[in-house]
Amino acid sequence: MKYLDEFRDPELARSLLAEVEATVTRPWSIMEVCGGQTHSIIRNGIDQVLDDRITLLHGPGCPVCVTPLGIIDSALEIAARPEVVFCSFGDMLRVPGSDCDLFSVKARGADVRVVYSPLDAVQVAADNPDREVVFFAVGFETTAPANAMSVHMARKRGLTNYTVLVSHVLVPPAIEAIVESEASRVDGFLAAGHVCSVMGTGQYEPLAEEHGVPVVITGFEPLDILDGIRRTVAQLEAGEARVENAYPRVVTSQGNQSAQDMLAEVFTECDRSWRGIGEIPSSGWRLADEYRAFDAELRFGVGDTAVPEPERCRSGEVLQGLIRPDECEAFGRDCTPRSPLGATMVSSEGACAAYHQYRRLDGVAVSP
Amino acid sequence: MIDPVDPAAWVCPLPLRNHDRIVTGHGGGGQMSGELVEHIFLPAFGRSAVAGLHDSATMDPPVDGGRLAFSTDSFVVSPLFFAGGDIGRLAVNGTVNDLAMSGARPLALSAAFILGEGLELAVLAAVAESMGRAAQTAGVKVATGDTKVVESAGDEVLYINSSGIGVVPPKVDIRPGRAAAGDAVLLSGPIGEHGIAVMSQRSGLEFGTGVQSDTAPLAGMVASMLGACADIHVLRDPTRGGLAGALCEIAAGAGVGIEFDEDSVPVPDEVAAACAFLGLDPTHVANEGKLVAIVPADAADEVLAAMRSQPEGEGAVRIGHVVADHPGVVAAYTPLGALRVVDQPLGEQLPRIC
């Protein structure tokens, strides 16, 4: 099938694997940044068939996983208000706050709706002028342009009952924080193709140059990822460290200028807390001053308060590639998708969820 | 096939003419309830099906031996009408298939409606007509029914509960516990069509696709399969929870492992594309006209041929086998040759953020 089968071909996969094996001369650790890549790697068993000398580390790029507990609690508080219609992408509904999730609030009578585009939430606001409609604007550079557009459209339509609860985070500062950490064991990065399709490739060039790490931009199909690994290994073995675009069918060096313009108009850069990791300077977006009237935190008087994570949850170390999910003592025992301690277990893109879902035959003990 | 019916032509001058929508009185058990039965359900289901409008239908016991099978299911699908089907057709086929999964020949169904105030009578009539057609196709009678009306806030509410009775032929013993190491795992055709067809028309998620629901009655194909091998061990229709859910239930029920080859599972291109777009696993997506069969390995080819001889099974394939390893766990060989666990979906399927 066009655009899917081409990137799942087993024969091509075998030739890429053979090329990696022929090139590699010593152990290397490569981090895939995005949770979608992690999911594809574990689901397809790429790490099982890869040369033993290559270790894949799972990175911080799961938008559900890194949304701070304080923001989730704010979302739950706003959603529970009788005047509010709370709109969210579906996979945020299962993420646990301090004591419940959006599904539970909905079951208690809150008007929580799954939307597939923030523009749908704007339409809900237009259709319900006597209600306060709040959209949970989370995610990386991929979702931010459409979320920004929703605010822009709400203002254009004169809607005063639409606000957004913003928790946007940016990938490059997170990569920088990881690579600068003394505990880091990352030799090269597979950057997320869809982030680069918006922002372009340029922002990774200083990072590759200053820190001496190859950054290869890849897609999400098995062959995309194998090709990314092949190119990263080739750079590492040759002693090179540059940005390489292995996803040219989607990514250009400039990215999407219209999306970037919309982001620049509606958002402004800010420091952000990352769940399990902590605050990273200049790693997120908030609404620009002229759009503050659309800020749900201000409208409802909730703030991103620091809320302690469960002590036994090591998702922060998982998100930074410091441990594998099954190296956490709680994995599969006290922490399962049905009863998660952290968001990496609950998100469909979370590394812990991927291990729990696909890897139980590898001697990983889990509760029934 | 019964002839198409124009619902407007059924309606008496009074009082249905005064109500083009369901009102609470239609569920009150009085004259208005009776008029719904008289003017909508009986023309759709066939007057002969309901013996004198008693509180219960009666039927003769099976004369050729065998055991009775009894099954019930509730249908709450939204939207009510979707590409390839509607809630009425789904209710009949769903209950017929639940019976067929124990090897039963279906005899009769019930149809209990829960209707929201404000539902258009024309919608109810169209659903009832579709049920009647589906029952005719499946060779089963709608023998008894009920209607209740609930308050609703303007939403289009129409739920159907349907129970069914069938006869399992003598010596047929089909149940999850009979899956045994060495058995072959057969699948009757491409997966994911029903779930994607419904999702593509669900409010807020509309996207263009040519995928149609696969809803179909499977009792005829099952009879043909039993003709090829009376010793079929397990049958299961992979509805909610999809292929993964059905196989996991069988593995857990029998305390065996199941392994299949991902490449051998037919996934239509448009289903694969929609799943990639939404971040869903095709093996988790619902089907309404497919079955999984666990059969003795030496009978697999004959059963497969019997499946392929029927229109509902023309795309039937052998996808894997039952193993003694990893009891209770289903695993799939990926196209890269790795083995991964195949899990049941935890709850509702939720499209991912990005």
Side-chain angles (χ1 to χ4, degrees):
Chain A
M1 185 176 66
K2 198 140 183 69
Y3 304 123
L4 272 184
D5 284 353
E6 295 90 328
F7 304 102
R8 297 176 177 178
D9 184 308
E11 284 303 315
L12 278 172
R14 273 188 278 278
S15 72
L16 288 169
L17 286 163
E19 201 174 329
V20 170
E21 201 173 324
T23 311
V24 67
T25 62
R26 47 158 288 193
W28 299 109
S29 293
I30 300 172
M31 173 178 276
E32 82 279 358
V33 172
C34 170
Q37 292 167 321
T38 305
H39 189 84
S40 184
I41 286 167
I42 305 300
R43 186 185 188 283
N44 290 287
I46 289 174
D47 54 337
Q48 291 182 56
V49 294
L50 196 59
D51 189 285
D52 289 345
R53 289 165 290 186
I54 310 295
T55 301
L56 293 179
L57 304 172
H58 315 309
C62 163
V64 174
C65 301
V66 299
T67 302
L69 201 50
I71 290 274
I72 307 281
D73 284 350
S74 297
L76 295 168
E77 189 180 329
I78 294 170
R81 297 182 185 223
E83 75 274 23
V84 166
V85 180
F86 195 86
C87 299
S88 171
F89 293 129
D91 47 3
M92 290 306 295
L93 267 64
R94 275 200 208 113
V95 184
S98 293
D99 65 354
C100 69
D101 57 24
L102 283 167
F103 268 129
S104 312
V105 175
K106 184 172 188 283
R108 289 174 204 153
D111 193 346
V112 177
R113 301 185 193 180
V114 172
V115 294
Y116 302 94
S117 155
L119 296 181
D120 292 344
V122 174
Q123 190 57 46
V124 172
D127 294 340
N128 296 274
D130 54 337
R131 308 284 303 277
E132 287 286 341
V133 176
V134 182
F135 177 70
F136 200 1
V138 296
F140 290 95
E141 293 92 330
T142 44
T143 52
N147 295 350
M149 170 68 91
S150 79
V151 176
H152 179 83
M153 291 302 293
R155 186 164 84 165
K156 198 172 171 185
R157 295 175 70 171
L159 299 176
T160 57
N161 65 330
Y162 180 75
T163 52
V164 285
L165 180 61
V166 181
S167 184
H168 277 302
V169 281
L170 309 176
V171 170
I175 296 186
E176 193 142 28
I178 285 169
V179 86
E180 284 176 351
S181 156
E182 283 184 12
S184 169
R185 42 186 187 136
V186 182
D187 298 310
F189 288 97
L190 303 181
H194 53 3
V195 168
C196 297
S197 72
V198 175
M199 304 305 289
T201 61
Q203 58 186 165
Y204 293 95
E205 277 160 12
L207 203 146
E209 195 173 324
E210 285 166 26
H211 297 285
V213 287
V215 178
V216 177
I217 293 149
T218 74
F220 303 88
E221 296 301 327
L223 289 189
D224 288 324
I225 291 166
L226 283 173
D227 189 38
I229 293 168
R230 177 187 68 92
R231 291 176 188 234
T232 309
V233 170
Q235 282 198 45
L236 288 167
E237 289 288 341
E240 296 170 357
R242 55 192 160 75
V243 175
E244 211 173 326
N245 183 3
Y247 200 32
R249 68 183 188 276
V250 173
V251 174
T252 63
S253 58
Q254 291 78 30
N256 183 330
Q257 193 56 52
S258 308
Q260 291 170 31
D261 292 345
M262 183 54 63
L263 288 168
E265 183 190 326
V266 175
F267 288 140
T268 187
E269 225 171 74
C270 66
D271 301 342
R272 277 276 174 208
S273 284
W274 293 54
R275 186 169 189 172
I277 298 178
E279 186 156 301
I280 302 176
S282 302
S283 68
W285 277 308
R286 66 167 176 79
L287 286 165
D289 289 341
E290 61 174 305
Y291 282 96
R292 293 293 264 183
F294 294 90
D295 191 330
E297 284 192 32
L298 295 179
R299 175 82 53 100
F300 297 97
V302 296
D304 178 11
T305 50
V307 180
E309 301 275 346
E311 277 180 20
R312 287 172 304 147
C313 179
R314 298 179 68 186
S315 61
E317 292 164 85
V318 172
L319 287 166
Q320 295 170 79
L322 300 176
I323 60 166
R324 271 202 338 247
D326 54 342
E327 290 171 331
C328 170
E329 298 74 18
F331 178 85
R333 297 178 183 90
D334 303 325
C335 181
T336 66
R338 190 177 290 271
S339 179
L341 289 178
T344 45
M345 183 58 93
V346 79
S347 164
S348 60
E349 292 189 10
C352 297
Y355 271 67
H356 194 277
Q357 187 172 1
Y358 299 127
R359 278 301 167 75
R360 297 202 304 273
L361 293 180
D362 299 350
V364 177
V366 296
S367 302
Chain B
M1 293 286 284
I2 58 174
D3 294 329
V5 184
D6 174 11
W10 307 347
V11 178
C12 269
L14 288 171
L16 286 180
R17 176 177 280 184
N18 294 337
H19 301 284
D20 59 354
R21 290 172 184 272
I22 290 291
V23 296
T24 50
H26 285 125
Q31 289 183 28
M32 291 175 73
S33 298
E35 282 155 3
L36 270 192
V37 173
E38 183 71 19
H39 297 290
I40 289 185
F41 296 132
L42 289 186
F45 300 157
R47 218 164 261 274
S48 63
V50 182
L53 292 175
H54 292 317
D55 279 349
S56 61
T58 58
M59 60 196 76
D60 297 328
V63 292
D64 52 352
R67 289 166 296 136
L68 284 177
F70 180 37
S71 182
T72 192
D73 207 344
S74 297
F75 298 84
V76 296
V77 65
S78 172
L80 299 175
F81 299 88
F82 45 83
D86 59 83
I87 190 170
R89 192 168 160 200
L90 207 57
V92 169
N93 289 342
T95 304
V96 163
N97 292 347
D98 284 348
L99 293 169
M101 294 310 108
S102 60
R105 174 172 59 87
L107 293 177
L109 306 180
S110 68
F113 292 85
I114 295 174
L115 309 174
E117 243 185 320
L119 180 78
E120 287 182 51
L121 279 182
V123 169
L124 177 62
V127 168
E129 189 206 348
S130 180
M131 287 188 80
R133 284 166 174 268
Q136 182 104 353
T137 303
V140 66
K141 287 180 176 176
V142 181
T144 187
D146 180 48
T147 306
K148 295 285 188 294
V149 176
V150 294
E151 289 182 19
S152 73
D155 296 331
E156 195 171 61
V157 172
L158 193 168
Y159 304 139
I160 302 173
N161 174 271
S162 178
S163 299
I165 287 183
V167 180
V168 182
K171 297 182 184 169
V172 168
D173 180 16
I174 297 174
R175 55 191 161 84
R178 292 198 68 215
D183 283 354
V185 181
L186 313 178
L187 171 67
S188 68
I191 60 167
E193 291 163 314
H194 174 75
I196 294 301
V198 171
M199 265 188 258
S200 73
Q201 288 173 259
R202 186 160 284 172
S203 173
L205 186 57
E206 292 95 338
F207 57 89
T209 175
V211 177
Q212 300 227 326
S213 169
D214 60 344
T215 178
L218 301 174
M221 180 169 65
V222 169
S224 173
M225 293 163 69
L226 286 169
C229 170
D231 189 31
I232 289 174
H233 288 172
V234 188
L235 292 173
R236 180 61 63 105
D237 54 343
T239 52
R240 282 180 309 160
L243 176 65
L247 292 177
C248 287
E249 283 175 21
I250 294 168
V256 295
I258 293 177
E259 292 182 359
F260 71 90
D261 196 343
E262 260 190 276
D263 268 351
S264 70
V265 175
V267 181
D269 287 352
E270 286 192 82
V271 170
C275 286
F277 170 65
L278 296 169
L280 303 177
D281 185 332
T283 67
H284 287 170
V285 178
N287 313 274
E288 286 293 342
K290 297 296 180 305
L291 65 77
V292 172
I294 310 278
V295 302
D298 57 6
D301 288 342
E302 284 174 43
V303 177
L304 206 50
M307 292 163 86
R308 288 175 179 161
S309 73
Q310 303 292 316
E312 295 84 10
E314 58 187 11
V317 286
R318 183 174 182 159
I319 60 169
H321 55 279
V322 179
V323 296
D325 297 338
H326 52 81
V329 175
V330 178
Y333 285 95
T334 74
L336 302 185
L339 190 65
R340 71 170 176 96
V341 169
V342 177
D343 225 342
Q344 283 180 300
L346 181 61
E348 193 182 354
Q349 299 239 280
L350 298 171
R352 65 187 175 205
I353 287 179
C354 62

